[in-house]
């Protein structure tokens, strides 16, 4: 009997051990790539990428990544495919998964990727939903390990909206055993059920963002208004005014703290230019690592644990 299909719809879909395996594989794949050595474990495999929201990094890193692994990538969006004309997700999953080897989806409700996965013959990867952005956090944690070492036991400060990226940090903290200090404006607090937390005490909420940042090893934030919530933009600009990561806040963090942002960023809103463009910022390394971690993820989902 063949092994069950593995999906990556939220961080919890991987165990702590599997994540460490991925990080080791990422390092190996990245080193090989930097040496310009051909590595084609996914020759003749096809990735289908479905986008119902915009993207630069996710599209580019998956598409380039699949080519670099020897495979091909096909881009579908809502506008040009039947998905935008109401074809049921279940039907789309049946058809698409008969024509390719792996699927990545960026969409609205998490339920959509879950319904797709239930009807798919091949692995499905969540490329961002309203609830989670697991590929982002794989890259972020890999970046932290690369820059500073082990994340276990460390403190991450999340400043701003308790959005998809925040929820994913919170889940990752439970899986990998680190702490998250969250500060959101009133009315935007963490919803533990939406984040699918197990209540293991890996996060604390702070009303004052300066307190959340105090002593943190990694300070991170994201846009005040995520895709799909544009109608709330004006209200959010007022509500989030005091939730900007600025140089004062970074001074409150640990001495060698790093700053991360999934990008795209709005300088002067959630982050001051002097922080994102300053010495603590690792945002470009973080963005680049989307490529390397997702290559390791696709290899894992299609070929299982590969030893170098
Ligand atoms: N961080 C991220 O997912 O970027 P894109 O929206 O450009 O894909
Ligand atoms: N929270 C943001 C992340 C974009 C990569 C959004 O969902 O729009």
């Amino acid at each position: 009997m063949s092994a069950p299909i593995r999906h990556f719809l939220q961080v919890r879909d991987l165990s702590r051990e599997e994540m460490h395996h991925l990080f080791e594989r990422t390092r190996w794949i990245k080193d090989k790539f930097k040496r310009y050595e051909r590595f084609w474990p996914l020759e003749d495999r096809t990735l289908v990428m479905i986008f119902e929201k915009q993207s630069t990094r996710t599209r580019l890193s998956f598409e380039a990544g699949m080519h670099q692994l020897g495979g091909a990538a096909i881009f579908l969006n809502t506008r040009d495919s039947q998905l935008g004309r109401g074809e049921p997700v279940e039907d789309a999953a049946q058809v698409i998964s008969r024509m390719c080897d792996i699927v990545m989806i960026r969409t609205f409700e998490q339920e959509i990727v879950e319904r797709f996965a239930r009807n798919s013959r091949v692995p499905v990867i969540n490329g961002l939903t309203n609830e989670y952005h697991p590929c982002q956090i794989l890259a972020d944690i890999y970046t932290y390990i690369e820059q500073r070492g082990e994340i276990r036991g460390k403190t991450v400060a999340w400043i701003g909206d308790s959005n998809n990226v925040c929820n994913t940090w919170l889940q990752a903290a439970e899986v990998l055993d680190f702490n998250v200090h969250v500060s959101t404006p009133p009315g935007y607090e963490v919803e533990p059920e939406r984040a699918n937390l197990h209540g293991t005490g890996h996060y604390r909420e702070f009303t004052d963002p300066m307190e959340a940042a105090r002593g943190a090893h990694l300070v991170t934030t994201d846009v005040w208004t995520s895709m799909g919530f544009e109608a709330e933009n004006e209200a959010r600009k007022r509500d989030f005014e005091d939730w900007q990561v600025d140089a004062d806040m970074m001074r409150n963090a640990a001495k060698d703290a790093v700053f991360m942002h999934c990008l795209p960023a709005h300088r002067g809103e959630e982050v001051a230019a002097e922080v994102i463009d300053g010495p603590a910022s690792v945002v470009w390394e973080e963005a680049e690592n989307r490529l390397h971690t997702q290559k390791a993820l696709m290899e894992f989902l299609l070929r299982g644990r590969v030893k170098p």
Side-chain angles (χ1 to χ4, degrees):
M1 217 177 82
S2 56
I5 303 164
R6 296 288 302 267
H7 303 294
F8 187 56
L9 307 184
Q10 48 184 309
V11 162
R12 271 197 200 296
D13 290 340
L14 295 178
S15 66
R16 181 184 302 182
E17 209 207 344
E18 285 169 337
M19 269 207 230
H20 284 298
H21 164 80
L22 275 193
F23 296 144
E24 267 173 40
R25 259 332 258 174
T26 299
R27 192 189 310 273
W28 188 86
I29 289 170
K30 180 173 178 177
D31 283 351
K32 215 169 160 61
F33 177 70
K34 297 285 179 186
R35 291 196 302 268
Y36 297 95
E37 287 173 15
R38 179 181 284 190
F39 178 54
W40 280 8
L42 303 186
E43 194 171 0
D44 291 334
R45 306 289 185 105
T46 305
L47 163 73
V48 166
M49 308 181 293
I50 302 169
F51 283 91
E52 300 209 79
K53 290 176 178 169
Q54 286 158 302
S55 169
T56 298
R57 280 144 286 266
T58 304
R59 176 177 178 181
L60 185 56
S61 51
F62 270 105
E63 189 163 342
M66 195 54 172
H67 284 294
Q68 291 161 14
L69 294 173
I74 295 173
F75 172 82
L76 291 180
N77 65 21
T78 316
R79 204 178 48 244
D80 305 328
S81 69
Q82 298 289 7
L83 286 162
R85 296 181 60 246
E87 180 165 14
V89 173
E90 289 76 8
D91 294 2
Q94 291 281 355
V95 173
I96 291 168
S97 69
R98 281 168 187 251
M99 298 189 191
C100 69
D101 301 282
I102 187 163
V103 177
M104 187 243 77
I105 312 179
R106 167 168 287 196
T107 186
F108 293 88
E109 290 78 26
Q110 177 71 11
E111 194 217 335
I112 300 173
V113 292
E114 283 170 8
R115 281 166 53 203
F116 194 104
R118 279 198 293 276
N119 290 278
S120 173
R121 291 183 161 200
V122 301
V124 178
I125 297 171
N126 178 352
L128 179 146
T129 56
N130 291 348
E131 286 82 359
Y132 309 118
H133 196 1
C135 293
Q136 182 66 53
I137 272 32
L138 274 188
D140 292 6
I141 294 175
Y142 177 76
T143 307
Y144 186 81
I145 295 171
E146 196 174 54
Q147 298 285 327
R148 295 287 185 271
E150 176 78 83
I151 195 155
R152 188 173 193 172
K154 298 282 169 42
T155 299
V156 173
W158 176 272
I159 311 296
D161 191 16
S162 65
N163 63 13
N164 42 11
V165 180
C166 174
N167 286 341
T168 313
W169 271 113
L170 296 172
Q171 255 192 35
E174 291 190 344
V175 177
L176 294 175
D177 192 20
F178 59 88
N179 308 302
V180 186
H181 288 179
V182 183
S183 181
T184 65
Y188 297 93
E189 291 86 358
V190 172
E191 296 173 56
E193 260 180 48
R194 189 171 159 85
N196 189 14
L197 301 181
H198 289 178
T200 49
H202 285 82
Y203 82 98
R204 270 178 68 191
E205 290 191 272
F206 293 75
T207 46
D208 181 355
M210 284 298 257
E211 287 310 308
R214 188 179 301 283
H217 303 96
L218 190 170
V219 179
T220 186
T221 184
D222 187 11
V223 290
W224 291 340
T225 306
S226 286
M227 292 181 280
F229 297 83
E230 289 79 3
E232 299 173 15
N233 198 23
E234 286 313 308
R236 282 171 171 266
K237 274 192 179 166
R238 285 191 300 275
D239 296 344
F240 282 81
E241 205 176 30
D242 295 331
W243 274 263
Q244 181 187 92
V245 179
D246 59 12
D248 271 352
M249 208 177 275
M250 288 306 293
R251 271 191 287 275
N252 239 15
K255 215 164 79 217
D256 66 343
V258 291
F259 172 77
M260 289 193 193
H261 190 307
C262 63
L263 305 176
H266 295 91
R267 289 169 176 76
E269 292 190 10
E270 75 275 6
V271 61
E274 60 186 346
V275 171
I276 194 167
D277 301 319
S281 176
V282 293
V283 298
W284 312 128
E285 289 78 5
E286 178 189 2
E288 178 187 329
N289 283 332
R290 293 289 304 278
L291 173 71
H292 309 299
T293 46
Q294 288 161 196
K295 284 166 77 174
L297 174 67
M298 289 192 285
E299 181 195 48
F300 175 75
L301 294 176
L302 287 173
R303 305 203 50 200
R305 264 173 205 250
V306 179
K307 295 259 179 274

